[in-house]
Amino acid sequence: MSEKFKKLVEIMEKLRSENGCPWDRLQTHDSLKRYLLEETYELIEAIEKKDYKGIKEELGDLLLQIVFHSKIAKDEGKFDIDDVIETISNKMISRHPHVFG
């Protein structure tokens, strides 16, 4: 895991901790759905405008949503961000046997 990505995960860990942000600690998968959708639409808009600064920012916002949902799942004992990364990596390899053999 890159140091920058690790830092983002640690920030979310702190925000959701007992001494973290009350709002972040209260969030659930359901309560965050609207933000996930909103950030997706904002990314699409930036792509359509070819606004690369905006694309970078909105990709970051989407990444935050992924880390946030993964942290909630970790708190629930379901899975964590490493599981998410492993799952998508395995999926990409299995969908591309012509590349990965």
Side-chain angles (χ1 to χ4, degrees), residues 21-84:
C21 173
W23 184 89
D24 287 298
R25 289 191 352 248
L26 289 174
Q27 298 314 301
T28 66
H29 292 297
D30 283 329
S31 70
L32 291 173
K33 288 188 298 190
R34 62 178 267 207
Y35 301 107
L36 182 61
L37 191 56
E38 180 180 304
E39 299 303 347
T40 301
Y41 282 124
E42 289 174 2
L43 174 59
I44 291 169
E45 183 178 331
I47 291 169
E48 288 173 347
K49 290 180 178 179
K50 298 189 182 350
D51 172 7
Y52 289 96
K53 182 180 177 192
I55 292 170
K56 178 176 66 173
E57 182 177 335
E58 298 308 332
L59 284 170
D61 290 346
L62 273 178
L63 181 58
L64 175 63
Q65 290 298 310
I66 293 165
V67 170
F68 207 155
H69 281 276
S70 297
K71 174 59 176 145
I72 292 169
K74 181 180 178 183
D75 293 346
E76 296 171 348
K78 305 293 185 191
F79 59 85
D80 65 15
I81 191 65
D82 288 331
D83 297 321
V84 172

Side-chain angles (χ1 to χ4, degrees), residues 9-23:
V9 171
E10 289 170 354
I11 289 168
M12 184 52 63
E13 291 277 346
K14 183 165 183 127
L15 288 171
R16 293 270 302 174
S17 74
E18 188 175 302
N19 297 318
C21 173
W23 184 89

